[in-house]
Amino acid sequence: MSVSQHLTTPSIYSSSSAFFANSNFHVRPQRISLPGKSIATCKCVAVPQEEIIAYKTNVSRNANIAKLQAGYLFPEVARRKVAHLQKYPEAQIISLGIGDTTEPIPELITNAMQKKSQALSTYEGYSGYGAEQGEKPLRTAIASTFYKDLGIEEGDIFVSDGAKCDISRLQIVFGSSVTMAVQDPSYPAYVDSSVIMGQTGQFQKDVEKFARIEYMSCTPDNGFFPDLSKVSRTDIIVFCSPNNPTGASATREQLTQLVKFAKDNGSIIVYDSAYAMYMSDDNPRSIFEIPGAKEVAIETSSFSKLAGFTGVRLGWTVISKELRFSDGSSVAKDFNRIVCTCFNGASNISQAGGLACLSQDGIKAMGEVIGYYKENTEIIMETFSSLGFKVYGGKNAPYVWVHFPGRSSWDVFSEILEKTHVVTTPGSGFGPGGEGFVRISAFGHRANVVEACRRFRELYK
Amino acid sequence: MSVSQHLTTPSIYSSSSAFFANSNFHVRPQRISLPGKSIATCKCVAVPQEEIIAYKTNVSRNANIAKLQAGYLFPEVARRKVAHLQKYPEAQIISLGIGDTTEPIPELITNAMQKKSQALSTYEGYSGYGAEQGEKPLRTAIASTFYKDLGIEEGDIFVSDGAKCDISRLQIVFGSSVTMAVQDPSYPAYVDSSVIMGQTGQFQKDVEKFARIEYMSCTPDNGFFPDLSKVSRTDIIVFCSPNNPTGASATREQLTQLVKFAKDNGSIIVYDSAYAMYMSDDNPRSIFEIPGAKEVAIETSSFSKLAGFTGVRLGWTVISKELRFSDGSSVAKDFNRIVCTCFNGASNISQAGGLACLSQDGIKAMGEVIGYYKENTEIIMETFSSLGFKVYGGKNAPYVWVHFPGRSSWDVFSEILEKTHVVTTPGSGFGPGGEGFVRISAFGHRANVVEACRRFRELYK
């Protein structure tokens, strides 16, 4: 143990004996004020550690976390936005970056959450711990709304606090010994959670990839669907369709190929369908529309973009009882164990909202909001197309993937931010295959989207 | 890959092209009905796998998950409750098992959640993704309510969806190479999450312990505080006070010893203070009341038992910037990276409720509910004491730890369930040190607690 300087606090505190006890809470009485030492800022980004460290424990830092590169993408984008605001305090920043929903949640859905909140203050309506897997009516509604006639039952649905959280829980189920393939580019939580779990080697700076991860190249040349004949076998294949960030949606034929590929290799597909409801084309909304998928695929999805629940937090994961590890044991059973041990279920208020979403009126109301965002998408696509850019995505997803051939994504990101005060997301943040692209999110108030497009036209005219 | 029987589904589905698109949701049209094959029931308990397995992937089951014994404790207790109800459909079951809150949430708190729900349906009040670490006003309120003058700042607080979830995220931060010590008995999520992360060896049936975990014996003989001179050094020391299940609360002197022990060994304490507000004695409510603790301790806590938020889901974890790994890097920074990558923040509605909890009136209202449960605790303690049992806990925690010397906990659990229809929790479910004890939870309506005690008196008179 290395103790360079031992700074114990100079006084002993004693708390009031009545604090928090016997029906009377009162705030801890003031004692000597001890301002916290400002040793480091706690951010998702690397900060230089020039501060004096008073004490170090003898616990080694997790080597897998040390492998991660810089911060998680979106907090890094947020940090640059804040820095920009500091530079231009008067700037009218428009954020088309992280993909955060902006439109109000339809009232019939918030009414259900109000009602549930109110009920929690009554004897009849109060409920404590729910089933870790989610409340049965919601699981049933998810199964019948999204997986009707696909052989998916209520018991196959695990309600959660969001798809990102479920991706991480799935990685815990798989453990450190599996190998993983991802689309390149892809949503960064897939790769990062794999690194964190110890499934990968070090980051290889020359190729901007982690060792032991199979990056499935998705480019305009292959229609953003990987050439599976060139993909090595991995245990896990994470596949997002409609894709974040490219906006590409896989066709039935492509998904049939993917399921066959997984089956031939004995792989498990983790299929992220969080944007399924933004599809215009007649492509499958669920991987379970492909025959045999239940034996090789897990599907994870979310109310975030479906119902504006990015802050309310609600998602789900589907694992059929037919999905088995090589020893014949049930994947769903292990996922259930993780859900029971590492999670305690989504908020009961959020679940009440989720159930309202899936009523007939709820589905109609959500569809209207989605339609609004889809109109935004069209405006953005039309803007960049008319400026002569090659534009991808958009039609089946709330993201527009704009090509800036030969340019660095972060440079374009900075150029757009500097000159138009619009926050986007640099394509290379999604993997090396995203280099040269910028993702524009269609989540925003119409006036902002229109204004952003006016500025884009000004910049790139 | 082993394919014993290849059962692909016999038809190809096609989804409606308008499904989820263009502002119009409608339910997938009915096609050929394919009832799911009922291959296995998905439960937290081991079920015999006699079913025919149609297909196995070639993905190996995570060896760490395979180490886990049976199901997670509380779902197992719930399963036995259900089995009991099937046997005695008319039984008036009273549940004093899992420790689930039963009393309504004070209205001023649910009002705040109603208001937030309603606001989400307006342009002015809508918010999407929040900071992953929680909203600043709530972080500030937690810091000032629970850590005033302890050198803990708003930036040290990470708001979460519950302490159990944070325990698991902390394990992800630590990774598979650390060693861990736990109180024996202790809340089972500590050991289980350690096993899942690969920190342990196999379960050793003879001693009922996992290899590589240091079990710190907590018995009536040592006043439920471990003899630290007999405890081997580990990287992580998980310590819960007031303890679940024993109800014991560590004194200032004991916690000073613990912090010194951690400091001497360069260990990190994970201090679970979820029951701090149930304390009657003048013991520290926070580990940070002990000088120097910020350099060696993390504290995790929860609104679950504080405000009846078991279903609403809200908790927090405190990590000071002074806590460092052996390489000098910040533990808070790595935790923040995990929170950003594997989690997306607690529900904004739950956070609005949490903020209301910490208002002056909220604190008073929560105190009244806690006072109610503490009266329950007294009734249960008085009952077992008067029947001649040695009874522990209770005074500083909502749990009564009843000694049945020489008897198996599960036997006593079954005896009580069979003869009184009251669900308790068997002590051995918390580790081998819990053998011979049963935990009685004080969470329940008064009438039920009184009735349960009447039945206990009948059984053990």
Side-chain angles (χ1 to χ4, degrees):
Chain A
M1 177 180 30
S2 160
V3 182
S4 46
Q5 205 184 333
H6 197 99
L7 291 177
T8 50
T9 48
S11 73
I12 291 178
Y13 302 93
S14 71
S15 64
S16 157
S17 66
F19 183 65
F20 281 171
N22 295 327
S23 316
N24 277 307
F25 276 43
H26 47 79
V27 183
R28 202 180 300 266
Q30 292 219 9
R31 314 263 157 172
I32 299 158
S33 174
L34 259 196
K37 288 191 285 294
S38 186
I39 284 187
T41 45
C42 170
K43 284 206 180 131
C44 276
V45 293
V47 286
Q49 295 195 359
E50 290 169 31
E51 69 284 336
I52 296 161
I53 295 167
Y55 174 90
K56 296 173 192 168
T57 65
N58 202 18
V59 178
S60 301
R61 186 181 183 207
N62 183 341
N64 295 319
I65 295 183
K67 289 175 195 165
L68 291 167
Q69 299 303 296
Y72 184 67
L73 174 63
F74 296 110
E76 176 64 25
V77 168
R79 195 189 64 76
R80 296 200 184 207
K81 176 180 165 182
V82 169
H84 184 75
L85 252 181
Q86 284 168 343
K87 190 174 166 191
Y88 301 103
E90 304 297 314
Q92 296 294 311
I93 289 192
I94 297 173
S95 190
L96 303 179
I98 182 172
D100 191 6
T101 47
T102 55
E103 301 311 295
I105 299 172
E107 258 189 10
L108 76 106
I109 299 166
T110 59
N111 284 348
M113 296 195 284
Q114 271 186 263
K115 207 174 144 195
K116 178 68 186 179
S117 301
Q118 198 275 326
L120 290 173
S121 70
T122 67
Y123 279 94
E124 304 70 33
Y126 181 77
S127 61
Y129 289 122
E132 292 89 342
Q133 305 84 355
E135 290 164 18
K136 197 169 168 158
L138 179 56
R139 298 172 83 188
T140 303
I142 290 171
S144 65
T145 304
F146 301 105
Y147 306 102
K148 195 173 169 64
D149 300 325
L150 297 181
I152 298 296
E153 302 162 345
E154 166 250 325
D156 302 329
I157 311 287
F158 296 84
V159 175
S160 77
D161 58 336
K164 183 162 99 172
C165 316
D166 269 349
I167 294 290
S168 176
R169 280 186 283 267
L170 285 168
Q171 296 285 21
I172 295 175
V173 169
F174 298 137
S176 59
S177 303
V178 299
T179 51
M180 198 182 85
V182 293
Q183 288 151 296
D184 179 29
S186 65
Y187 179 53
Y190 309 143
V191 166
D192 282 5
S193 62
S194 176
V195 174
I196 289 165
M197 280 308 293
Q199 296 166 2
T200 77
Q202 294 292 339
F203 187 71
Q204 301 170 304
K205 287 229 166 90
D206 52 339
V207 288
E208 303 257 313
K209 294 177 180 180
F210 284 95
R212 258 173 71 89
I213 286 191
E214 177 74 15
Y215 291 77
M216 303 185 292
S217 176
C218 294
T219 67
D221 292 341
N222 59 23
F224 299 102
F225 186 81
D227 178 352
L228 296 174
S229 71
K230 292 182 184 158
V231 171
S232 300
R233 186 218 172 255
T234 57
D235 293 310
I236 310 299
I237 302 166
V238 183
F239 199 91
C240 176
S241 179
N243 186 264
N244 175 7
T246 69
S249 156
T251 64
R252 187 171 309 277
E253 293 65 37
Q254 288 171 333
L255 292 179
T256 302
Q257 266 183 55
L258 182 69
V259 167
K260 181 179 184 307
F261 179 74
K263 219 157 219 182
D264 290 346
N265 286 308
S267 306
I268 294 175
I269 299 165
V270 174
Y271 190 81
D272 185 342
S273 66
Y275 300 97
M277 51 288 187
Y278 286 83
M279 241 186 269
S280 296
D281 286 344
D282 184 24
N283 296 331
R285 268 63 181 158
S286 163
I287 189 71
F288 298 118
E289 293 187 38
I290 308 301
K294 291 202 296 293
E295 295 171 347
V296 290
I298 291 167
E299 183 161 307
T300 187
S301 199
S302 171
F303 285 86
S304 287
K305 310 301 163 76
L306 180 63
F309 271 28
T310 40
V312 171
R313 312 303 311 140
L314 197 67
W316 73 89
T317 285
V318 187
I319 310 184
S320 162
K321 292 162 194 71
E322 296 179 35
L323 183 67
R324 300 288 172 149
F325 288 117
S326 58
D327 66 356
S329 66
S330 156
V331 177
K333 212 171 120 192
D334 280 2
F335 186 67
N336 189 54
R337 186 61 154 88
I338 295 304
V339 163
C340 289
T341 309
C342 305
F343 181 56
N344 240 330
S347 172
N348 47 18
I349 300 169
S350 308
Q351 291 190 67
L355 193 57
C357 288
L358 303 184
S359 67
Q360 218 164 4
D361 288 345
I363 288 173
K364 189 163 169 287
M366 290 192 301
E368 281 163 16
V369 180
I370 289 170
Y372 178 90
Y373 291 132
K374 284 176 72 71
E375 286 169 10
N376 282 350
T377 316
E378 283 169 27
I379 294 168
I380 298 166
M381 287 179 74
E382 154 62 19
T383 299
F384 279 97
S385 293
S386 70
L387 289 167
F389 288 92
K390 282 270 189 193
V391 173
Y392 303 94
K395 191 178 176 198
N396 294 306
Y399 298 123
V400 180
W401 189 236
V402 186
H403 204 178
F404 292 83
R407 295 198 59 193
S408 140
S409 303
W410 276 111
D411 283 354
V412 177
F413 168 88
S414 299
E415 173 179 277
I416 292 176
L417 182 58
E418 182 72 24
K419 300 195 176 158
T420 70
H421 307 306
V422 178
V423 182
T424 60
T425 309
S428 61
F430 300 95
E435 188 55 285
F437 289 87
V438 163
R439 190 193 78 172
I440 320 268
S441 157
F443 294 112
H445 297 317
R446 178 66 43 81
N448 287 339
V449 169
V450 168
E451 168 62 16
C453 287
R454 192 195 61 75
R455 297 182 196 170
F456 293 148
R457 285 181 193 275
E458 191 65 24
L459 174 61
Y460 291 117
K461 66 187 168 190
Chain B
M1 176 180 33
S2 162
V3 182
S4 46
Q5 206 183 333
H6 197 100
L7 292 176
T8 50
T9 46
S11 73
I12 291 179
Y13 303 93
S14 72
S15 64
S16 157
S17 66
F19 183 64
F20 280 170
N22 296 327
S23 315
N24 278 309
F25 277 43
H26 47 82
V27 183
R28 202 180 301 267
Q30 290 217 14
R31 313 264 159 171
I32 300 156
S33 175
L34 259 195
K37 288 191 286 293
S38 186
I39 284 187
T41 46
C42 170
K43 284 207 180 131
C44 277
V45 293
V47 284
Q49 296 194 358
E50 291 168 33
E51 71 283 336
I52 295 160
I53 295 167
Y55 174 89
K56 297 174 192 168
T57 65
N58 201 19
V59 178
S60 301
R61 186 181 183 207
N62 183 342
N64 295 317
I65 294 183
K67 290 175 192 166
L68 290 167
Q69 299 302 295
Y72 184 67
L73 174 63
F74 295 109
E76 176 64 25
V77 167
R79 195 190 63 79
R80 296 199 183 210
K81 176 180 165 183
V82 169
H84 184 75
L85 252 182
Q86 283 168 344
K87 189 174 167 190
Y88 301 103
E90 303 296 314
Q92 294 293 311
I93 289 192
I94 297 173
S95 189
L96 304 179
I98 183 174
D100 191 7
T101 46
T102 56
E103 301 311 295
I105 298 172
E107 259 189 8
L108 76 105
I109 299 165
T110 58
N111 284 347
M113 296 195 285
Q114 272 186 263
K115 206 174 144 195
K116 178 69 186 180
S117 301
Q118 198 274 326
L120 291 174
S121 70
T122 67
Y123 278 95
E124 304 70 35
Y126 181 78
S127 62
Y129 289 122
E132 291 89 343
Q133 306 84 356
E135 289 163 18
K136 196 168 171 161
L138 179 57
R139 298 172 84 188
T140 302
I142 290 171
S144 65
T145 305
F146 300 107
Y147 306 103
K148 196 173 168 64
D149 300 325
L150 297 181
I152 298 296
E153 302 161 345
E154 167 251 324
D156 302 329
I157 311 287
F158 295 84
V159 174
S160 77
D161 59 336
K164 184 162 97 172
C165 315
D166 269 348
I167 294 289
S168 175
R169 280 186 282 267
L170 285 168
Q171 297 284 22
I172 295 175
V173 170
F174 298 138
S176 59
S177 302
V178 299
T179 51
M180 200 184 83
V182 293
Q183 289 152 296
D184 178 28
S186 66
Y187 178 53
Y190 309 143
V191 166
D192 283 4
S193 61
S194 175
V195 173
I196 289 165
M197 280 307 295
Q199 297 165 1
T200 77
Q202 293 293 337
F203 188 71
Q204 302 170 303
K205 287 230 166 88
D206 51 338
V207 288
E208 303 257 313
K209 294 177 180 180
F210 283 95
R212 258 173 71 89
I213 286 190
E214 177 73 16
Y215 290 77
M216 303 185 293
S217 175
C218 295
T219 66
D221 292 342
N222 60 22
F224 297 102
F225 186 82
D227 179 351
L228 296 174
S229 72
K230 292 182 183 157
V231 172
S232 300
R233 185 215 173 260
T234 56
D235 292 310
I236 311 299
I237 303 166
V238 184
F239 199 92
C240 177
S241 178
N243 186 265
N244 174 9
T246 70
S249 157
T251 64
R252 187 170 310 276
E253 293 65 36
Q254 287 171 334
L255 291 179
T256 303
Q257 266 182 55
L258 181 69
V259 167
K260 182 178 183 306
F261 179 74
K263 217 155 219 182
D264 290 346
N265 286 308
S267 306
I268 294 175
I269 299 165
V270 175
Y271 190 80
D272 185 343
S273 66
Y275 300 97
M277 51 287 186
Y278 285 83
M279 243 187 269
S280 296
D281 286 345
D282 184 23
N283 295 333
R285 267 61 181 160
S286 164
I287 190 70
F288 298 118
E289 292 187 38
I290 309 301
K294 289 201 295 294
E295 294 170 347
V296 291
I298 291 167
E299 184 161 306
T300 187
S301 200
S302 172
F303 284 86
S304 287
K305 311 301 162 76
L306 178 64
F309 271 27
T310 41
V312 172
R313 311 304 310 141
L314 197 68
W316 72 89
T317 285
V318 188
I319 310 184
S320 163
K321 292 162 194 72
E322 296 180 35
L323 183 67
R324 299 290 172 146
F325 288 117
S326 58
D327 65 357
S329 66
S330 156
V331 177
K333 212 172 117 191
D334 280 1
F335 186 67
N336 189 55
R337 186 61 155 89
I338 295 304
V339 163
C340 290
T341 310
C342 306
F343 181 56
N344 240 330
S347 172
N348 47 17
I349 300 170
S350 308
Q351 292 191 66
L355 193 59
C357 288
L358 302 183
S359 68
Q360 218 163 5
D361 287 345
I363 287 173
K364 189 162 169 288
M366 289 192 301
E368 281 162 17
V369 180
I370 288 170
Y372 178 91
Y373 290 133
K374 284 177 70 73
E375 286 170 13
N376 282 351
T377 316
E378 282 168 28
I379 293 167
I380 297 166
M381 287 179 74
E382 155 61 17
T383 299
F384 280 97
S385 293
S386 71
L387 289 168
F389 288 92
K390 282 273 190 193
V391 174
Y392 304 95
K395 191 177 176 198
N396 294 308
Y399 298 123
V400 181
W401 190 236
V402 186
H403 204 177
F404 293 82
R407 296 198 59 194
S408 141
S409 302
W410 276 110
D411 283 355
V412 178
F413 167 88
S414 298
E415 174 180 277
I416 293 176
L417 182 58
E418 181 71 26
K419 298 194 176 159
T420 70
H421 307 308
V422 178
V423 181
T424 60
T425 309
S428 60
F430 299 95
E435 188 55 285
F437 289 87
V438 163
R439 189 193 79 171
I440 319 267
S441 157
F443 294 112
H445 296 318
R446 180 65 42 80
N448 287 341
V449 169
V450 168
E451 169 61 16
C453 286
R454 191 195 62 73
R455 297 183 196 169
F456 293 149
R457 283 182 196 278
E458 191 64 25
L459 174 62
Y460 291 118
K461 66 186 170 191

